[in-house]
Amino acid sequence: MIPARTSVPRAASRAGKALAAATLVGLALGLSGCAPEPEPEPKPTPAETTTPTAPAPTTAKPTPKPTTPPAPPAFDKQARSIDDPASIWVVTDKLRPLAPKEYEPADLRMPQGFVNTNGQPLRDEAATAVEGFLGAAAQNGLNVQIISAYRPYGMQVELYNSYIARDGQAAADTYSARPGFSEHQTGLVVDLDDGSGCALSECFGGTAAGKWLAEHAAEHGFIIRYPQGKQEVTGFIPEPWHFRYVGKELAAEMKRTGVVTLEEFFGLPAAPGYAD
Ligand SMILES: [Zn+2]
């Protein structure tokens, strides 16, 4: 049998209130020389509460204590250079060529453990990050491979010229960067694919891998550099396969604020086309 319980909590409640009142009197007497903070009102015990009570009007009490935790320190947008091609925050677009245009990273290495169809390296930090990113994808049953990574200046010259020969310069400029303007030359970029037939195509964003990678990129320090609806800002059509390493802090801050392009985040001019 369950014993009748109604009288015990009420008795305990009365005892508790008496004790609280005594404590308040003691505090008032003992601390009269100080400027004590206002005592919080004793909360009603659950046994006494039969219906939810409306919150007390805030105007009646002096200086209510803030209930939200203190805000974290503001994100420092100047913590790293956006101009130095060796900075993981470097912003390269059609108005911001790499300086120098022939920049070559000093710490390239091959990412390990995943198919890398073109055998292109990455900067050490980006390689480590992509190993973690693709490792996490693999743990979720997604077989993601690298199809493009660092491309040196000379290779971009050949690639860009081949696109012009095929499609004309106006079309080529919408999907391929001119030499010296390519993010791939930073060694911080990977193009990813899952072999489902959407390589380097917008439909990659609709694949299981494309969705998972977009959702989890920031956790590994990556952003989708050319998101949907931002061609007038970035100068490029959506590229859901092109992941740019910017480090976890910046990727997390962009996700938190919902600002999806580097140009908008750093207050840079939109770069829909080249200056000349
Ligand atoms: Zn790319």
Side-chain angles (χ1 to χ4, degrees):
M1 283 289 288
I2 299 168
R5 301 181 57 184
T6 49
S7 64
V8 175
R10 289 194 183 279
S13 162
R14 279 194 294 273
K17 283 183 78 172
L19 186 61
T23 307
L24 277 176
V25 170
L27 279 171
L29 292 173
L31 299 174
S32 58
C34 307
E37 294 182 22
E39 283 291 320
E41 283 197 326
K43 290 181 182 171
T45 62
E48 287 177 311
T49 309
T50 53
T51 54
T53 52
T58 50
T59 49
K61 296 282 178 188
T63 59
K65 287 184 181 177
T67 52
T68 50
F75 187 85
D76 180 6
K77 293 188 178 183
Q78 266 135 44
R80 295 174 187 267
S81 171
I82 60 170
D83 303 317
D84 178 357
S87 165
I88 61 169
W89 287 7
V90 65
V91 182
T92 304
D93 62 29
K94 290 177 176 178
L95 297 177
R96 298 175 55 88
L98 291 167
K101 279 190 178 176
E102 299 80 11
Y103 166 73
E104 205 178 311
D107 56 352
L108 294 168
R109 73 167 174 86
M110 286 295 168
Q112 301 296 310
F114 299 94
V115 175
N116 184 356
T117 50
N118 279 308
Q120 294 170 347
L122 288 168
R123 289 189 58 195
D124 180 54
E125 186 176 341
T128 301
V130 85
E131 287 161 359
F133 191 18
L134 298 198
Q139 284 180 349
N140 283 272
L142 299 165
N143 184 21
V144 180
Q145 54 187 259
I146 301 164
I147 56 176
S148 186
Y150 168 69
R151 291 200 295 262
Y153 179 84
M155 185 184 292
Q156 194 69 18
V157 172
E158 290 175 27
L159 199 61
Y160 180 68
N161 287 341
S162 75
Y163 291 143
I164 290 178
R166 189 183 70 185
D167 293 335
Q169 185 170 29
D173 277 342
T174 67
Y175 62 82
S176 176
R178 293 181 184 177
F181 292 79
S182 173
E183 266 205 329
H184 281 275
Q185 198 182 320
T186 65
L188 299 171
V189 169
V190 279
D191 293 334
L192 301 176
D193 187 41
D194 66 347
S196 64
C198 282
L200 306 178
S201 299
E202 199 170 345
C203 66
F204 181 70
T207 65
K211 287 178 187 169
W212 189 93
L213 292 167
E215 177 67 24
H216 295 277
E219 296 160 30
H220 300 275
F222 288 88
I223 60 168
I224 291 181
R225 177 67 176 98
Y226 305 122
Q228 212 144 28
K230 292 293 180 181
Q231 185 171 351
E232 288 304 304
V233 177
T234 66
F236 288 95
I237 57 173
E239 295 193 359
W241 63 87
H242 175 113
F243 289 85
R244 159 70 193 274
Y245 180 73
V246 296
K248 288 181 184 177
E249 289 84 5
L250 176 53
E253 182 68 2
M254 289 177 72
K255 187 162 192 173
R256 189 185 72 79
T257 57
V259 180
V260 294
T261 68
L262 293 175
E263 284 81 4
E264 291 165 302
F265 186 84
F266 287 111
L268 298 169
Y274 294 98
D276 52 15

